[in-house]
Amino acid sequence: MGLIVQKFGGSSVANAERVMNVAKIVTDTYKQGNDVVVVVSAQGDTTDDLIEKANEINPNAHKREMDQLLTAGEQISISLLAMAIEKIGCPVISLLGWQAGFNTNSIHTSARIKNIKPNRLQAEIAKHNIVVVAGFQGINRYDDLTTLGRGGSDTSAVAIAAALKADKCQIFTDVEGVYTADPRKVENAKKLKDITYDEMLELATLGAQVLNNRSVEMAKKYGVELEVLSSLNPIPGTIVKETAKMEKMLIRGVTKDKDVALVSILNLQDTPGIAFKIFSKLSAKNINVDIILQSFGRDGTKDIVFTVSKDNGPLAVELLEDMLDNCKIVCNTEVAKVSIVGAGMESHPGTASKMFEALYESNINIQMISTSEIKISVIIDAEDADRAVSAVHKAFIPND
Ligand code: ADP
Ligand code: ASP
Ligand code: MG
């Protein structure tokens, strides 16, 4: 007996049959004597479809209106799931983000949760209702609807688990847990029994879509243990927590991120403070810069190359062209970032060379490298990305 938060992603509620399947999981948990709060995403591809509809009409629409539109997806799934639970015969109520007390900042389409006022949630739980909450959404100080960014329902679930000090937070999805690589793309990807918050945060940030990175950040901050598991196959999933066993693996996973643009500034006048001027200009426009490479100066000039997300590429170039003369600025969006993640690499020299060897043997050229204590990332041609992930995975993950 306890309080359990269960989150179901879009594919888990994609159609009537799947909604009934979720209702069964939720009501079984409730009938075992638990209080249950359920967070759901929009059905199937609903969010993508809504974005497409908006783009047909006005691709530059105000983000406030995008949020008005996108929140509708989750409104549909909470009410349908509540109806399914009612049909099974359990007491239930559905709540939109604002009704569940989600207060966010005002950055439309990627808002951050400021706090959750849990009064309504607590009152409904006290009435022994199963509470079904719309993921991915909240309300700002002006009473406007906001959304938390793609994949944001994971964060909604963790936020509720933290606010209510839940005993468990289960993230149900369409795979059986967190794997050493995307199991839909990489043969022999292995399911992990457990993984640390730090490793999961890196995997999620570097492209493993299975958990949203902000949800992992929040789970770590509030000590919410997560289980990632399948809504279709009732077997134990992967636990995300503070410490985890290494299971004889040097790395935990290999990821790919295609949302990368490589901006090069060539033949830049080599004057003191120029890097500061460039990067402060970009940060003033909220452009997040990832990997930075600077060449040695030669004949009074140097090159600076850096990566940003794809949609920030054109803006970065425009800003740089406005401020810099006598240099060449190019933006390449046909690149990808492939990374390996694992706390084990810190104590194992040779991890980087093993990764580079796997890429060399597949004839894949590395354009940039970046490392931290628990990850190594390389920038390569986008067309090589899938091959690179498979080759690196094969080099590191035993094929038992
Ligand atoms: P949901 O709709 O349940 O939120 P997502 O589509 O956001 O599900 O995330 C699940 C998907 O993440 C899986 O179908 C899988 O293809 C992908 N994925 C990418 N990397 C990994 C990984 N390392 N482990 C498990 N799944 C992964
Ligand atoms: N429906 C939203 C999306 O597709 C939120 C989520 O699925 O977590 O991004
Ligand atoms: Mg998701």
Side-chain angles (χ1 to χ4, degrees):
M1 287 240 313
L3 171 59
I4 302 186
V5 176
Q6 299 184 317
K7 179 258 168 179
F8 295 87
S11 53
S12 300
V13 290
N15 52 40
E17 189 192 341
R18 294 270 174 98
V19 171
M20 285 313 299
N21 170 61
V22 168
K24 171 90 174 51
I25 296 173
V26 170
T27 52
D28 283 352
T29 311
Y30 179 80
K31 286 174 187 169
Q32 285 158 13
N34 299 296
D35 294 321
V36 189
V37 179
V38 191
V39 174
V40 266
S41 299
Q43 290 185 288
D45 296 329
T46 302
T47 308
D48 289 330
D49 294 345
L50 290 172
I51 292 172
E52 213 180 296
K53 272 184 206 292
N55 286 341
E56 273 171 25
I57 289 171
N58 178 1
N60 300 316
H62 194 295
K63 288 184 171 172
R64 178 191 179 278
E65 299 309 325
M66 280 309 283
D67 279 349
Q68 287 283 77
L69 179 69
L70 296 187
T71 47
E74 272 69 14
Q75 179 157 7
I76 294 171
S77 44
I78 54 166
S79 41
L80 292 177
L81 179 59
M83 292 173 196
I85 291 172
E86 182 192 337
K87 189 170 170 187
I88 293 177
C90 291
V92 60
I93 185 162
S94 70
L95 298 176
L96 291 166
W98 69 268
Q99 293 172 309
F102 274 82
N103 294 307
T104 73
N105 67 14
S106 294
I107 305 180
H108 284 289
T109 72
S110 58
R112 283 199 176 250
I113 299 168
K114 290 209 296 200
N115 58 58
I116 295 185
K117 297 244 152 58
N119 317 36
R120 179 76 187 270
L121 284 169
Q122 283 161 339
E124 298 299 343
I125 293 168
K127 286 189 245 168
H128 298 291
N129 276 323
I130 294 173
V131 192
V132 182
V133 180
F136 173 61
Q137 55 175 258
I139 196 167
N140 68 12
R141 57 197 289 207
Y142 310 107
D143 286 348
D144 283 328
L145 298 179
T146 53
T147 62
L148 307 178
R150 299 306 307 269
S153 298
D154 297 332
T155 313
S156 308
V158 174
I160 291 180
L164 299 178
K165 299 194 170 49
D167 297 286
K168 254 193 202 179
C169 185
Q170 296 180 308
I171 309 287
F172 288 86
T173 183
D174 58 358
V175 289
E176 285 161 14
V178 179
Y179 284 71
T180 50
D182 186 339
R184 297 187 191 284
K185 298 265 172 63
V186 178
E187 237 186 301
N188 303 322
K190 282 194 181 151
K191 189 170 101 183
L192 300 165
K193 273 205 187 72
D194 50 20
I195 182 166
T196 65
Y197 293 123
D198 289 336
E199 291 169 318
M200 191 63 234
L201 184 57
E202 289 285 8
L203 283 183
T205 305
L206 295 167
Q209 191 194 342
V210 63
L211 277 179
N212 174 283
N213 61 351
R214 281 194 194 166
S215 73
V216 183
E217 200 174 57
M218 191 179 287
K220 178 179 158 85
K221 184 168 172 193
Y222 294 101
V224 176
E225 204 172 283
L226 301 178
E227 182 179 10
V228 179
L229 68 173
S230 164
S231 61
L232 296 168
N233 188 7
I235 57 169
T238 302
I239 307 285
V240 186
K241 55 191 178 132
E242 196 58 51
T243 54
K245 268 223 196 101
M246 269 315 280
E247 296 177 45
K248 289 197 221 129
M249 282 187 225
L250 187 57
I251 65 157
R252 289 291 190 185
V254 186
T255 60
K256 168 188 85 177
D257 184 0
K258 284 196 163 175
D259 183 16
V260 182
L262 187 65
V263 180
S264 306
I265 314 169
L266 308 172
N267 300 325
L268 177 68
Q269 289 304 309
D270 194 2
T271 51
I274 190 70
F276 163 67
K277 282 183 198 149
I278 289 172
F279 292 108
S280 55
K281 180 106 182 183
L282 296 174
S283 88
K285 290 281 173 193
N286 277 324
I287 296 179
N288 208 359
V289 175
D290 186 21
I291 306 174
I292 303 175
L293 200 78
Q294 179 180 295
S295 71
F296 278 117
R298 212 182 331 105
D299 302 330
T301 68
K302 64 186 174 187
D303 303 334
I304 292 182
V305 185
F306 59 89
T307 61
V308 293
S309 68
K310 260 199 177 100
D311 60 347
N312 276 329
L315 177 58
V317 171
E318 199 184 307
L319 291 169
L320 294 172
E321 281 176 345
D322 278 352
M323 73 181 291
L324 302 170
D325 297 316
N326 302 324
C327 60
K328 193 173 168 198
I329 300 162
V330 276
C331 177
N332 178 4
T333 51
E334 294 303 311
V335 290
K337 181 160 64 174
V338 169
S339 312
I340 56 174
V341 172
M345 68 175 68
E346 218 181 341
S347 51
H348 280 82
T351 311
S353 68
K354 192 169 174 169
M355 180 184 191
F356 303 156
E357 183 185 13
L359 294 169
Y360 162 65
E361 281 176 352
S362 299
N363 204 17
I364 293 170
N365 186 39
I366 301 171
Q367 300 180 26
M368 282 172 113
I369 300 169
S370 125
T371 65
S372 79
E373 282 166 4
I374 64 166
K375 71 132 212 259
I376 301 168
S377 298
V378 294
I379 301 292
I380 57 173
D381 277 349
E383 63 177 19
D384 292 333
D386 288 331
R387 266 188 330 118
V389 171
S390 295
V392 171
H393 189 268
K394 197 164 163 205
F396 282 97
I397 307 292
N399 210 352
D400 48 35

